[in-house]
Amino acid sequence: MADSENSVEMEGLYQPPNELQKDAHVKSFDQYKEMYKKSVEEPEEFWKEIAKEFYWKSPPTGRFLEYNFDYTQGPISIKWMEGAKTNICYNVLDRNIERGLGDKIAFYWEGNDPNDHGKITYKELLQKVCKFANVLKAQGIKKGDRVAIYMPMIVELTIAMLACARIGAIHSIVFAGYSSESLADRIIDAKCLAVMTADGVWRGTKLLNLKQIVDEAIRLSGERSHKVSKCIVVRHLSPSDEEVIDGDGDGHDEPPAKRPYRKLKINWHSDRDVWWHDVMKDSSDISEPEWMDAEDPLFMLYTSGSTGKPKGVLHTVGGYMLFTATTFKYVFDYQPDDVYWCTADVGWITGHSYVCYGPLGNGATSIIFEGTPMYPDAGRLWEVVDKYKVTKFYTAPTAIRSLMKFGDSFVTKYSRKSLKILGTVGEPINPEAWLWYHKVVGNGKCAIVDTFWQTETGGHVITPLPGATATKPGSATFPFFGVVPAIVNDEGKELTGAAEGYLVFKQPWPSIMRTVYGDHERFETTYFKKFPGCYCTGDGARRDEDGYIWITGRIDDMVNVSGHLLSTAEVESALIEHKAVTEAASVSHPHKIKGECIYCFVTLKQGFEFTPDLTTELKNIVRAKIGPFAQPDFIQNAPALPKTRSGKIMRRILRKTAVGDRQLGDTSTLADESVIDLLFQNRPNDA
Ligand code: PRX
């Protein structure tokens, strides 16, 4: 445990720092309440005022907001500013340049290797985006086409997404840690015509051959009758084509200091593959934006679904633009001289909204970080904070917890004097980690913003405002403007005062998802049928006596591993593909660093033995099918699974078994009670 342990208090309210409050956009809780009231009572007026800061080619043709949240009254639909014409790329680049920010740094790029870095201004970014927009057009991509992006954290990733937005193509970014199969599933579901990638990337001391993963995904898509006609490849690692194409392919696990470029073997399909730099060379840097309807799709991003099949969460142009820029402005109290850093990968929603669109929408300077918090050592984040004088910093609780383990010295070695606001996202933050973040990283003088939101919400929905909200460690506090949360019980009855139940939202804010790509019915069933008239988050929440909201975690079969949601069904279907497995069930299990991890129960077919090798094989099959981040921590032999008489697996019992808790509650619905003893006998020693 860190040496700051003695200073940890478990109770208390943390007031906004005075220094920050003075110039904050929202300076007091009363001001927040007043603005909030207007935002929920007169949402059209509230957002109309904000929309004035953006460029619209033409205004909405109908009402500013039209929606139906109640499926019993008709199809669920949410429309903000329908008929208005705009372009988000124009708004985040051209508009900022027109207001004098052309020479301002849009992004600093900090590579995995501390010696690798770069920067790009708004003007330069626009030029590259326009060039790439023309490349996309030349490759036959047009408005409404889907484009998959599977890239490392490099500036080209944001260039690719903004270029799609400029021409009205819909980007579908897949985190470059997913397996070929996961990428193929997503390419096929969205019918992507093209894939953007890079040759490879170093993650810490590991070299990943991204192109190889993409090749395999495209091959799998072809097998399933979907042809990807173009693959555009950024040369991120390799100094020349020949060395890449003829490489001998043994490039693994060499430290970046040695940079064995020549060892990355890349296969080239000349009918399909093109190098980014080749097609960019002669491309024009003038590109008229496609004027999009506010309700045209901007992007889709896949998130796990409880059936195991990922859902393509679809966001549209206008509302997403307003909400990401506005949350960024207020939640990070954006000021023009800020250097802002969100460590999330752009492959997740946090990166979409708070590496790319939100900061750029405000004309901010931020950092794109390719590395990991542990490389070259556990001080890397704070080294980068000092290097760029970062003022606002945003990361995940899992990163905070893993750094805490190394003690305070990796932090205190750096000054961190520039820091003013520290944010967290992705999972509940435990008070110890919150306090360490506040006291050690922030020297006790920074505001902490614990932001609750989801891929589906597009931006922060429950969050403190740093100059206005007194915080409690572990609570996401109060709703953002335009968001109306409620806590309901099993029957959908709204609970008032101090209460615990399901977290729902009663009216739409601008960046709520509009549909599941290609499956509106699934959208309605997943989010709107459980509690008619409300959007159901899938999370539990508690409201305390002071009105603070505490997120208690998922209430469905979803596991949140290091801030990444996975469905237990997805893991189970990977496991049963192994020849030894006849049945599998996986549950969420508490984990000190990751928050939650995956604990699997497998029933083997006759003739197979449960051995350490088999455990490794089963872990590997999940890695290969989904991605390394999905690897289960525990695999347990389960000669039988606890089931009801109707054959439903009783996951509650499995969760208890996983933690070794014999207080099982009511087991009378079990078909065979003897299963329980067997399960407890077979718990792995390290569980
Ligand atoms: O369970 C909640 C948890 O992460 C889920 C959303 O995951 P995803 O769509 O991958 O987006 C993550 C980044 C926005 C939520 O349903 N979650 C997210 N933020 C918090 C959180 N749980 C508690 N506190 C948070 N601040």
Side-chain angles (χ1 to χ4, degrees), residues 56-62 80-86 292-295:
W56 304 88
K57 188 94 180 154
S58 60
T61 45
W80 286 87
M81 301 167 285
E82 198 177 23
K85 295 282 184 275
T86 190
M292 307 285 288
D293 194 290
E295 278 301 334

Side-chain angles (χ1 to χ4, degrees), residues 577-594:
E577 288 200 24
H578 192 283
K579 60 179 187 308
V581 177
T582 177
E583 202 168 18
S586 60
V587 294
S588 158
H589 183 66
H591 187 282
K592 265 203 156 90
I593 306 291
K594 301 187 211 177

Side-chain angles (χ1 to χ4, degrees), residues 303 349-350 424-429 450-456 476 537 539 551 553-554 560 563-565:
T303 185
I349 190 68
T350 307
T424 73
V425 56
E427 50 180 315
I429 180 163
D450 172 1
T451 62
F452 167 83
W453 58 295
Q454 308 176 300
T455 304
E456 294 88 336
T537 59
D539 283 295
I551 308 297
R554 300 293 306 184
N560 192 330
H564 307 313
L565 275 192

Side-chain angles (χ1 to χ4, degrees), residues 430-579:
N430 47 314
E432 290 88 337
W434 193 104
L435 287 164
W436 186 78
Y437 202 30
H438 179 258
K439 295 200 163 132
V440 181
V441 176
N443 268 341
K445 64 180 183 53
C446 296
I448 307 280
V449 286
D450 172 1
T451 62
F452 167 83
W453 58 295
Q454 308 176 300
T455 304
E456 294 88 336
T457 70
H460 306 140
V461 281
I462 298 189
T463 175
L465 297 187
T469 317
T471 48
K472 295 186 184 187
S475 166
T477 74
F478 299 101
F480 189 74
F481 303 136
V483 176
V484 185
I487 294 179
V488 299
N489 66 10
D490 258 328
E491 285 80 51
K493 183 174 171 297
E494 183 168 350
L495 307 174
T496 52
E500 184 164 345
Y502 298 91
L503 178 66
V504 302
F505 296 118
K506 298 205 285 187
Q507 64 188 53
W509 57 96
S511 72
I512 184 174
M513 73 184 285
R514 301 300 196 260
T515 191
V516 169
Y517 182 76
D519 197 348
H520 197 66
E521 200 181 318
R522 188 169 181 203
F523 171 60
E524 298 185 323
T525 310
T526 312
Y527 304 102
F528 291 93
K529 291 220 166 138
K530 194 168 171 66
F531 303 113
C534 292
Y535 165 87
C536 175
T537 59
D539 283 295
R542 177 169 72 81
R543 194 189 301 104
D544 70 16
E545 52 293 346
D546 303 321
Y548 282 68
I549 295 173
W550 302 72
I551 308 297
T552 52
R554 300 293 306 184
I555 39 99
D556 50 16
D557 291 331
M558 226 67 104
V559 193
N560 192 330
V561 182
S562 302
H564 307 313
L565 275 192
L566 284 162
S567 79
T568 49
E570 217 173 337
V571 175
E572 287 155 11
S573 55
L575 289 170
I576 55 170
E577 288 200 24
H578 192 283
K579 60 179 187 308

Side-chain angles (χ1 to χ4, degrees), residues 191-357:
K191 299 189 186 60
C192 293
L193 302 182
V195 183
M196 320 284 131
T197 190
D199 44 5
V201 66
W202 285 100
R203 213 163 269 157
T205 55
K206 264 210 153 68
L207 179 61
L208 304 181
N209 191 331
L210 300 180
K211 175 66 165 55
Q212 201 171 50
I213 296 170
V214 170
D215 284 346
E216 176 61 7
I218 296 179
R219 193 190 66 73
L220 290 169
S221 306
E223 261 182 11
R224 287 157 62 186
S225 312
H226 174 73
K227 182 168 185 273
V228 172
S229 48
K230 278 290 161 216
C231 178
I232 305 181
V233 188
V234 175
R235 183 188 289 152
H236 180 45
L237 297 178
S238 40
S240 85
D241 296 8
E242 290 76 19
E243 283 159 351
V244 174
I245 296 166
D246 302 328
D248 56 11
D250 64 349
H252 290 292
D253 294 330
E254 303 228 16
K258 294 193 193 138
R259 291 247 145 192
Y261 291 129
R262 280 169 211 85
K263 293 186 177 174
L264 190 73
K265 180 176 174 180
I266 284 191
N267 292 314
W268 203 253
H269 304 257
S270 36
D271 54 333
R272 181 196 79 197
D273 298 344
V274 288
W275 282 111
W276 173 287
H277 57 271
D278 280 346
V279 283
M280 283 287 268
K281 215 167 26 210
D282 298 319
S283 185
S284 156
D285 62 6
I286 296 169
S287 156
E288 171 69 8
E290 183 78 35
W291 297 107
M292 307 285 288
D293 194 290
E295 278 301 334
D296 276 336
L298 170 62
F299 68 83
M300 68 180 83
L301 179 57
Y302 284 86
T303 185
S304 294
S306 52
T307 59
K309 184 179 182 296
K311 309 180 282 262
V313 169
L314 190 101
H315 284 287
T316 54
V317 175
Y320 181 81
M321 174 170 84
L322 290 194
F323 201 73
T324 50
T326 309
T327 45
F328 178 80
K329 172 178 166 182
Y330 288 105
V331 174
F332 298 112
D333 192 48
Y334 172 65
Q335 304 291 341
D337 56 354
D338 274 336
V339 177
Y340 160 85
W341 181 19
C342 164
T343 66
D345 195 290
V346 172
W348 308 111
I349 190 68
T350 307
H352 282 60
S353 301
Y354 300 111
V355 174
C356 186
Y357 291 111

